Amino acid sequence: MQQKLKDLSELVMLQHSFFSMPFMFIALLTSAKGWFGWKLFIFGVIATISARNFAMAFNRYADRKFDSTNPRTQNRPSVDGRIAPNAILFFIFVNAVIFVCISYFINALCFYLSIPILAILASYSLFKRFSSLAHIVLGLSLGLAPIAGAIAASGEIPLWSIYLCIGVLFWVAGFDLLYALQDIEHDKKEGLHSIPSVFGVTKTLWLSRLFHLLTLVFWGLFIFEANLGLWMWIGLGISILALFFEQYLVSKNFHHIPRAFFTVNAYLGIALLGFCILDLMAGL
């Protein structure tokens, strides 16, 4: 049983929930102007993890053929036989049900949007088969987290949550472009429409930089529209340094891509959440 749980965790890379979860909590805190209660905290954690489990497991199931021909991914549990295809399908179904049920218990708007959100989360795996916009779809998938947080706390979608969503969208799309540089030759061989395989390395690097510049613009608009204070502006300054460092690491050597992708981005979300907490505490 312990080994099966370990394989499932590896399948969905559970630790990477830190990419989207901090932004869901930032939206909850901003909507509530402080602590939002244990109910939303617990429901938010379960909803975020189940949605991400659904998306990652769907991606692994749909991409088994492509992952088996990619040296970087051919040892994944979905490829090497550790987890059977039917078991992955069952895991996808269970997490979808959990997400919809949790959404129902939060509020009506969360429930009504739960199925469309799952459809968007699943679309990334299919999009890259015919469009280079797959990177944007992945960004939107994580960008929905702050909108979901705002809906959970207030039952509506304020303008600041849209700015935060778009910022997360470009942030994720920007670092996904860098990550996709590892698979240029494989994507060309398999006919997958990643931006690096279609437009090349140089254009991909510049587009990633543009996306991260837009990230900072929209995060600034979020801070302004939500009327947040000095600590969040400091957090934005830290974000500038972090994204610059990420771009520098990758441009210097592609061997730094895993470090830039997993370490820098995970800490960035957590840091912004910390600055949001400090900002709200300072305003009390």
Side-chain angles (χ1 to χ4, degrees):
M1 176 60 75
Q2 185 177 358
Q3 184 59 45
K4 287 295 183 184
L5 291 175
K6 183 179 179 181
D7 291 339
L8 282 173
S9 178
E10 182 181 343
L11 177 76
V12 299
M13 302 179 81
L14 189 61
Q15 65 272 29
H16 297 161
S17 297
F18 287 115
F19 288 159
S20 59
M21 193 177 292
F23 292 94
M24 183 267 294
F25 283 130
I26 288 172
L28 282 168
L29 288 165
T30 303
S31 288
K33 300 191 183 306
W35 177 239
F36 42 81
W38 284 108
K39 173 187 172 182
L40 284 182
F41 177 83
I42 294 170
F43 282 3
V45 170
I46 295 173
T48 303
I49 292 176
S50 60
R52 193 179 183 285
N53 284 349
F54 168 86
M56 289 296 293
F58 187 92
N59 175 267
R60 296 295 187 254
Y61 180 83
D63 279 5
R64 286 171 297 144
K65 172 181 175 291
F66 302 118
D67 287 346
S68 66
T69 60
N70 187 342
R72 186 179 62 81
T73 60
Q74 59 189 197
N75 292 322
R76 286 175 172 172
S78 52
V79 177
D80 63 14
R82 280 179 286 160
I83 303 180
N86 286 342
I88 299 175
L89 283 175
F90 180 72
F91 185 74
I92 292 169
F93 174 76
V94 168
N95 279 279
V97 170
I98 291 173
F99 179 73
V100 172
C101 290
I102 286 293
S103 300
Y104 175 82
F105 287 111
I106 295 175
N107 61 45
L109 186 56
C110 284
F111 176 64
Y112 295 146
L113 293 177
S114 60
I115 298 298
I117 286 175
L118 289 177
I120 293 172
L121 295 179
S123 65
Y124 163 71
S125 300
L126 306 178
F127 235 84
K128 58 190 176 185
R129 287 160 167 76
F130 58 86
S131 173
S132 297
L133 291 176
H135 306 279
I136 298 294
V137 176
L138 178 63
L140 177 61
S141 297
L142 274 73
L144 291 172
I147 288 185
I151 294 172
S154 65
E156 57 185 24
I157 305 176
L159 180 59
W160 59 258
S161 71
I162 296 176
Y163 288 147
L164 184 55
C165 166
I166 297 173
V168 173
L169 183 158
F170 282 119
W171 170 55
V172 173
F175 70 64
D176 189 55
L177 288 179
L178 300 179
Y179 195 68
L181 288 169
Q182 301 174 102
D183 297 329
I184 291 180
E185 297 306 319
H186 173 263
D187 290 349
K188 287 180 179 179
K189 179 182 176 182
E190 295 293 342
L192 296 173
H193 296 266
S194 68
I195 284 178
S197 68
V198 175
F199 296 100
V201 173
T202 301
K203 290 181 179 179
T204 297
L205 287 172
W206 280 107
L207 189 57
S208 175
R209 293 162 188 163
L210 174 61
F211 281 2
H212 281 167
L213 177 61
L214 290 171
T215 295
L216 299 168
V217 169
F218 280 100
W219 283 352
L221 288 171
F222 152 66
I223 296 169
F224 178 80
E225 179 66 26
N227 197 30
L228 297 175
L230 177 62
W231 281 109
M232 277 305 289
W233 289 109
I234 294 174
L236 182 64
I238 297 297
S239 300
I240 294 172
L241 295 176
L243 292 178
F244 178 84
F245 180 61
E246 179 178 347
Q247 293 289 340
Y248 168 75
L249 279 178
V250 175
S251 63
K252 186 178 180 181
N253 193 321
F254 284 3
H255 290 296
H256 293 151
I257 289 175
R259 179 183 173 191
F261 183 82
F262 298 122
T263 306
V264 176
N265 290 301
Y267 283 127
L268 177 55
I270 295 171
L272 278 175
L273 174 59
F275 281 111
C276 181
I277 294 171
L278 287 173
D279 196 79
L280 292 169
M281 291 175 63
L284 292 178

